[in-house]
């Protein structure tokens, strides 16, 4: 019963196909259909042009974010074949972030028995068909009252990645031990408040945001090393 309960909790983490932004934003991207907790990307044979696009993105990531690419992003099946000159967004953790990951978690990610959960973790860093720019994430909504810090609210509350929904918020700085920090105009993604450090356009329709932490929910780490039942 305990195992079944855990499986049901994992399954609930996969959201249905939907728009890239949560309400009230206009739809800009769709999320691929997911089977159970896993992201299922199209495995159809890419055209020559598509293959070149995918290879160019792979080479860019391998050159600029080698640890993230090899450890996290490449774990999504057919991910490069799915980049077919359509808009997409990738949240990339720098090598410094990857090096600082707890040693136990590094072993969990690399353990082939955890391949399904590693794929799930990776898919939170990818919006397959929506280019979500930094400017769009920072767009303000002046139709609602300002925040307690006197800053205009953001027009979107989150984004829908291939793994599920991630909140979008403003970054804060200053303060002492978590108290008194003020919004500084930056953008954070996910419940870990991964801050966007820089953004760069890649390929024809893609964008990569470098973040200072993994964006996947902390909850996902609970399911590494768990007993798995074939077919679930």
């Amino acid at each position: 019963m305990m195992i079944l309960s855990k499986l049901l909790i994992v399954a609930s983490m996969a959201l249905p196909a939907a728009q890239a932004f949560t309400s009230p934003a206009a739809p800009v991207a769709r999320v691929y259909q997911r089977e159970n907790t896993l992201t299922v990307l199209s495995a159809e044979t890419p055209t020559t042009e598509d293959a070149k696009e995918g290879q160019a993105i792979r080479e860019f990531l391998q050159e600029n974010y080698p640890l993230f690419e090899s450890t996290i992003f490449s774990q999504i099946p057919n991910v490069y074949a799915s980049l077919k000159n359509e808009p997409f967004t990738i949240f990339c953790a720098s090598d410094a972030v990857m090096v600082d990951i707890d040693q136990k978690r590094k072993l969990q990610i690399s353990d082939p028995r955890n391949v399904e959960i590693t794929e799930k973790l990776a898919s939170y860093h990818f919006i397959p068909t929506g280019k979500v720019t930094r400017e769009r994430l920072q767009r303000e909504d002046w139709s609602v009252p300002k925040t307690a810090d006197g800053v205009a609210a953001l027009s979107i509350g989150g984004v829908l990645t291939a793994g599920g929904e991630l909140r979008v918020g403003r970054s804060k700085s200053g303060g002492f031990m978590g108290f008194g920090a003020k919004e500084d105009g930056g953008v954070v993604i996910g419940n870990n408040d991964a801050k966007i450090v820089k953004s760069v356009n890649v390929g024809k329709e893609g964008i990569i945001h470098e973040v200072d932490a993994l964006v996947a929910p902390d909850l996902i780490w609970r399911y590494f090393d768990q007993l798995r039942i074939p077919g679930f």
Side-chain angles (χ1 to χ4, degrees), residues 12-28:
S12 68
M13 295 171 63
L15 300 179
Q19 302 161 351
F21 296 131
T22 58
S23 180
V28 298

Side-chain angles (χ1 to χ4, degrees), residues 8-144:
L8 291 175
I9 293 174
V10 178
S12 68
M13 295 171 63
L15 300 179
Q19 302 161 351
F21 296 131
T22 58
S23 180
V28 298
R30 59 186 182 277
V31 175
Y32 284 90
Q33 178 184 1
R34 286 178 295 280
E35 183 176 282
N36 293 332
T37 64
L38 306 182
T39 305
V40 181
L41 299 182
S42 173
E44 64 186 49
T45 303
T47 65
T48 300
E49 185 176 359
D50 293 337
K52 289 181 179 179
E53 176 81 355
Q55 182 60 28
I57 303 306
R58 183 200 299 268
E59 292 174 354
F60 179 89
L61 291 177
Q62 289 175 337
E63 179 179 352
N64 295 277
Y65 304 96
L67 294 181
F68 175 82
E69 195 281 332
S70 61
T71 308
I72 303 292
F73 195 68
S74 63
Q75 303 307 308
I76 305 175
N78 306 310
V79 64
Y80 292 110
S82 72
L83 302 177
K84 300 176 180 180
N85 295 311
E86 293 185 9
F88 66 88
T89 304
I90 303 173
F91 298 104
C92 283
S94 66
D95 275 9
V97 171
M98 299 301 297
V99 169
D100 285 342
I101 293 177
D102 180 81
Q103 184 62 28
K104 178 182 178 181
R105 291 186 172 182
K106 290 179 181 178
L107 293 175
Q108 289 174 324
I109 292 173
S110 61
D111 191 331
R113 295 171 298 177
N114 291 323
V115 62
E116 297 94 345
I117 305 301
T118 299
E119 180 190 335
K120 178 69 175 180
L121 181 149
S123 65
Y124 272 102
H125 295 78
F126 183 39
I127 300 177
T129 55
K131 183 178 181 179
V132 185
T133 66
R134 188 169 185 168
E135 291 73 21
R136 182 66 187 92
L137 293 170
Q138 291 179 310
R139 188 175 301 170
E140 298 175 341
D141 184 357
W142 291 88
S143 66
V144 297

Side-chain angles (χ1 to χ4, degrees), residues 11 55 141 154 160 197 202 209:
Q55 182 60 28
D141 184 357
L154 296 176
L160 284 175
V197 178
V202 292
H209 299 296

